[in-house]
Amino acid sequence: MTLIRMGSSIKIGKTLRNFCTTSSSSFARKIGLDTPDDITAGQQMIMTFRERVENRRNEAKRSVIVQVQSEKSAADLYNYCSEYGTIESMHHYCLNEQSHFILVEFKAVSAMEILLNQCCHLNESHIIPTRTPFLWFRSKSPRRKQARTGESDVPILKHQYGTAIPTDKDIKNLLQGAKSLSEQINVLYSATHLNDVGERLRFLTARQIEIALCGPFPNVKALPFGSSVNGFGRMGCDLDIVLQLDTDDSHEKWEDCRLVFQAKTSSPNGRASSQRLMETVGDMCQLFLPGVTGVKRILQARVPIVKFQQDLTGIECDLSASNAFAVQMSELLYILGSHDVRVRPLVFAIRAWARYVGLTNPVPGRWITNFSLVLMVLYFLQQRSPPILPALDKLSMSSPALNLNHLDARPARSPIVGSAHEGISAEQDNRVETVGILFTEFLAFYSSFDFNNLAINLLTSANTIKPEHSPLYIVNPLEPNLNVSKNVGSEEVAKLRIELRNSAWLLESADVTSTSDKSVPWGLLTFFRENHHISKEQKSFAPPVSKRRRVSINKLFLEETR
Ligand code: GTP
Ligand code: MG
C-alpha cells in the first residue's frame, strides 16, 4: 500500500489553485477537459464553467422579474414589454398560490435599460425609491391607450411553474415507476436537479446586489458559487454569493497609468475590514433592496457572511467577501461532475440516501455536510478499479496532452447528456457499470474504509494518513492543509459506518429491480422513510444529543483549522 503524508498534497493543491486562478484560458481547457453543458432548445453546447457563468451573468443583465396576477398575464406583459425591445424568452414561476412572477429576458441589454427608464415608483411617501430589475405589472391605466391588441405574436412561456419542487410523495411515485436502481437514480436526478429557471433566478438575485454596489464599485461582481453553479444543485438549494469589489485584474497596464483613483485606506487588519464591509452591505441589503428580508450578519466566522432571504425569487442567500477559493472550488467540482454522465446522478442518490437515513441535516452541526458528501463520492470514483475519475495528481498541468480523458474516464459526451433524461446513458451502454452498481459499490467502499487512520484526499491516488485525529478527515483540494469535515463528530462517523453497512446489506437482500407488488420497497425506496424530515435528534440512535453538540452556522468556517 502506498501511503503519503500531507506535504506533497499541499504542493499539488497549490498548483491546482494557481491553475484555477490563471485567467488566460479556462481551467477546464488547461487540464484538457471539455465540460459539456445543459442544452437549450435541444441543442447540445459544450461550455466550460467560466463560459457558463458568463452566459448566465449576461442573461441576468438582460432580464427583469415582474410580479403578475397569474400566468395568464403573460400575453399582456409580452405585448407591453415588446414595445421596448425584442424579447428572447419568458419564464413563469410561483412562490405561493397568490404570488406569480414572470422572468422576461430581452435580447439586448439596451432594451432592458430603456424599459427600466420607463418604470415608475408607487406614488407613496414611505417607499425607498430603489431601481432594480424587480417590478410589478399593474393593471392597465384607463388613460393609457393600448398600443397593441391581439395575441397572435405572444410566445409560449418557456416554463410555467418553473420553480415547483417535487414533493416526497411525487418522488416516491417516480421511484416506484422506475424499472431498476439505475433508473431510479437517474429519475431522481432528472426530477430534482436545479433547472434553467432556478439558475436564472439565482443569477438575477446576485445581479441585484451588484446593481446596489455598482455606484462606488463599477466593476463589482457578485458571483454565485457552491451548488447553485457546481452542477450538484437541487431545486430549492441555497445561493452562495461571493463579492469581488474590483475585478479589473489587468494590473500590468497600471504601470503606465498616470491618473490614479483617490481612495480610502482599508484597515491594516484585513479581517476587520472584511467584517465592516459585510456589515455595511448587510445594512444596505436590508434597508434598500426590494424582496430582501431576514438579514443576519454573521461576522465572527472565519469568512464573515450575511444571510438573507430574497422573497421575490424565493431563495435563501449567503453572501460573503474575500472567500478566496470559493469560485475555484465550484469550478473544480463542475469539471469533475461533467466528466462522466454518472457522477451527478450518483451524487444526488448518495445525498438523498444520506438524508433519508438521517446522516445529513439542514441545521448546521456536527454532522456531515452535502459538500463533504460530494467530495466522498468523487474520491470513491477515483479509487474504484478501474477509476472513473482520475486523482488530481495524475493531471499534468503543463502538458495538455496528459489530460483526464486518457485515464479510462468516459468523456461525458453522450448524446443524452442535457436532454430531459440527462445522465441516463450508462445503463444503455453495457461496457460500463451502471450508476446503480456504482451506488452499491460506494456503500461497500466506505463500509470498509479505514476512517481511523486515513484521510479522504482527491489530490493523490495513494492513501493519505490523517495528519491529526479528527474523526473524519477530508482534505480540501484547494487548501490541502485544511480539513473540510472538521465539524463532524465521532458519533456521526460511527453512525455513518453503521448506516453504510446496514444499507449495503439491505440493498443486497432487498430487490434492486421493480416488482409487481408496489407495496414492497425496492432500490432507493428501501431507504425512503416517510419521516426523514424529522430532526436528527429525534431519530438518531446515537446517544441523545445535548445542546452542546450543535454549533452555530458562524462556527462552520471557524472550525476548519490549519
Ligand atoms: P448545498 O447548499 O447543501 O446545496 O451545497 P453547497 O455545496 O452549496 O454547500 P454550502 O452552501 O454549505 O457551501 C457552499 C460552498 O462553500 C461549497 O460548495 C464549498 O465550495 C464551500 N464550502 C462549504 N463548506 C466548506 C468547508 O467546510 N470548507 C471549505 N473550504 N469550503 C466549504
Ligand atoms: Mg449552498
Side-chain angles (χ1 to χ4, degrees):
M1 178 162 69
T2 332
L3 292 176
I4 72 146
R5 296 202 179 267
M6 295 297 289
S8 47
S9 281
I10 291 173
K11 226 184 282 166
I12 300 167
K14 201 164 167 221
T15 322
L16 197 64
R17 237 166 39 217
N18 290 342
F19 219 62
C20 293
T21 44
T22 311
S23 56
S24 56
S25 72
S26 95
F27 179 35
R29 281 210 196 93
K30 280 217 167 181
I31 61 174
L33 260 186
D34 289 330
T35 53
D37 189 54
D38 229 57
I39 308 304
T40 2
Q43 257 191 338
Q44 183 165 332
M45 293 186 293
I46 307 285
M47 265 197 243
T48 64
F49 176 81
R50 290 176 197 201
E51 286 162 353
R52 184 186 175 117
V53 167
E54 227 16 65
N55 221 35
R56 287 292 186 199
R57 281 171 50 76
N58 288 335
E59 232 169 51
K61 285 179 189 165
R62 292 184 268 111
S63 302
V64 289
I65 284 177
V66 189
Q67 187 156 8
V68 291
Q69 199 156 30
S70 77
E71 72 270 36
K72 294 193 189 115
S73 311
D76 198 10
L77 181 66
Y78 177 82
N79 283 334
Y80 187 84
C81 291
S82 298
E83 289 178 32
Y84 300 100
T86 310
I87 292 173
E88 180 78 21
S89 65
M90 286 172 77
H91 314 257
H92 165 260
Y93 67 96
C94 200
L95 296 178
N96 58 47
E97 273 173 30
Q98 275 83 46
S99 42
H100 292 254
F101 298 83
I102 293 178
L103 185 157
V104 182
E105 179 199 359
F106 285 96
K107 222 179 175 80
V109 181
S110 54
M112 203 205 67
E113 281 163 0
I114 296 169
L115 175 91
L116 287 185
N117 280 334
Q118 298 302 316
C119 293
C120 62
H121 286 290
L122 284 180
N123 192 14
E124 289 173 19
S125 56
H126 60 270
I127 61 147
I128 309 264
T130 326
R131 285 181 177 234
T132 74
F134 290 76
L135 312 169
W136 288 94
F137 190 45
R138 63 179 171 187
S139 50
K140 212 180 307 162
S141 148
R143 276 177 294 139
R144 188 183 158 86
K145 234 177 83 199
Q146 193 171 4
R148 291 158 75 169
T149 49
E151 298 184 359
S152 56
D153 51 357
V154 173
I156 300 167
L157 282 172
K158 202 167 159 196
H159 296 98
Q160 282 196 36
Y161 296 87
T163 51
I165 301 177
T167 62
D168 280 356
K169 199 165 159 221
D170 298 332
I171 291 176
K172 202 172 162 189
N173 287 339
L174 284 170
L175 297 185
Q176 222 135 28
K179 303 235 162 5
S180 65
L181 177 60
S182 290
E183 200 180 318
Q184 282 186 327
I185 292 173
N186 286 315
V187 159
L188 177 80
Y189 175 67
S190 301
T192 58
H193 80 274
L194 189 61
N195 65 7
D196 180 36
V197 178
E199 283 194 28
R200 284 171 188 269
L201 293 183
R202 278 163 178 73
F203 276 82
L204 252 161
T205 303
R207 175 77 189 139
Q208 191 192 32
I209 309 283
E210 275 178 8
I211 291 172
L213 290 169
C214 73
F217 306 107
N219 293 328
V220 66
K221 279 189 179 172
L223 291 174
F225 70 100
S227 61
S228 299
V229 289
N230 67 18
F232 296 110
R234 296 174 72 214
M235 289 297 289
C237 67
D238 70 356
L239 168 63
D240 306 288
I241 309 174
V242 60
L243 271 184
Q244 294 177 356
L245 291 184
D246 197 316
T247 49
D248 186 355
D249 52 7
S250 47
H251 288 246
E252 316 85 63
K253 84 173 185 210
W254 292 1
E255 301 220 328
D256 301 326
C257 194
R258 292 192 53 200
L259 290 173
V260 177
F261 289 113
Q262 297 272 352
K264 291 204 157 181
T265 49
S266 67
S267 147
N269 172 357
R271 183 173 164 70
S273 292
S274 167
Q275 288 171 327
R276 193 73 188 88
L277 169 73
M278 290 316 292
E279 193 178 10
T280 309
V281 170
D283 288 347
M284 191 208 62
C285 292
Q286 180 169 16
L287 294 173
F288 301 146
L289 296 188
V292 171
T293 59
V295 176
K296 292 191 189 75
R297 299 153 192 83
I298 299 164
L299 305 175
Q300 298 311 319
R302 181 167 81 94
V303 178
I305 59 171
V306 171
K307 293 178 82 68
F308 60 88
Q309 161 89 22
Q310 173 43 270
D311 288 344
L312 301 173
T313 54
I315 297 172
E316 300 272 349
C317 305
D318 281 0
L319 178 64
S320 55
S322 63
N323 197 348
F325 305 117
V327 178
Q328 284 100 315
M329 181 70 81
S330 304
E331 183 168 16
L332 180 64
L333 297 191
Y334 178 82
I335 290 168
L336 293 173
S338 303
H339 191 54
D340 184 289
V341 285
R342 294 163 291 180
V343 179
R344 288 177 185 150
L346 180 63
V347 164
F348 272 60
I350 295 297
R351 282 196 319 209
W353 164 78
R355 201 166 60 250
Y356 294 159
V357 301
L359 287 169
T360 49
N361 193 312
V363 183
R366 284 165 66 81
W367 28 84
I368 195 156
T369 62
N370 279 336
F371 174 57
S372 296
L373 273 177
V374 174
L375 296 183
M376 283 178 71
V377 175
L378 299 176
Y379 179 72
F380 151 70
L381 292 173
Q382 292 177 327
Q383 294 290 316
R384 78 176 290 282
S385 176
I388 285 172
L389 294 175
L392 303 180
D393 66 352
K394 289 275 193 298
L395 303 172
S396 163
M397 305 304 182
S398 50
S399 160
L402 183 62
N403 62 45
L404 289 186
N405 289 339
H406 88 290
L407 291 166
D408 190 50
R410 258 161 43 95
R413 288 181 173 250
S414 156
I416 295 172
V417 172
S419 74
H421 296 286
E422 189 170 0
I424 308 179
S425 68
E427 200 170 24
Q428 297 161 346
D429 183 346
N430 57 15
R431 288 166 305 162
V432 293
E433 290 75 9
T434 65
V435 69
I437 291 175
L438 295 178
F439 182 86
T440 50
E441 282 185 8
F442 173 93
L443 298 178
F445 176 82
Y446 281 110
S447 290
S448 56
F449 188 78
D450 181 5
F451 287 103
N452 285 337
N453 296 305
L454 297 182
I456 290 163
N457 182 2
L458 278 90
L459 292 170
T460 170
S461 47
N463 283 325
T464 304
I465 298 288
K466 283 205 272 192
E468 43 94 354
H469 294 293
S470 296
L472 180 63
Y473 200 104
I474 303 179
V475 175
N476 178 335
L478 297 181
E479 295 174 275
N481 48 352
L482 301 180
N483 172 14
V484 302
S485 52
K486 184 77 186 167
N487 64 308
V488 178
S490 53
E491 70 283 8
E492 293 303 316
V493 177
K495 185 164 158 52
L496 170 67
R497 283 175 148 149
I498 292 169
E499 290 295 350
L500 283 162
R501 283 182 197 157
N502 279 351
S503 302
W505 181 84
L506 266 175
L507 260 196
E508 216 171 89
S509 48
D511 278 314
V512 288
T513 52
S514 168
T515 60
S516 51
D517 181 356
K518 293 287 177 213
S519 65
V520 181
W522 63 276
L524 283 186
L525 288 164
T526 320
F527 313 113
F528 200 101
R529 296 173 193 167
E530 290 295 347
N531 60 351
H532 73 260
H533 56 276
I534 66 171
S535 81
K536 195 174 184 82
E537 288 86 342
Q538 282 167 280
K539 68 196 183 85
S540 171
F541 51 79
V545 189
S546 72
K547 284 279 178 222
R548 271 185 299 116
R549 231 181 105 198
R550 287 198 166 185
V551 293
S552 61
I553 178 99
N554 54 349
K555 296 261 174 66
L556 264 189
F557 283 96
L558 271 180
E559 290 250 335
E560 236 179 86
T561 52
R562 296 196 180 257

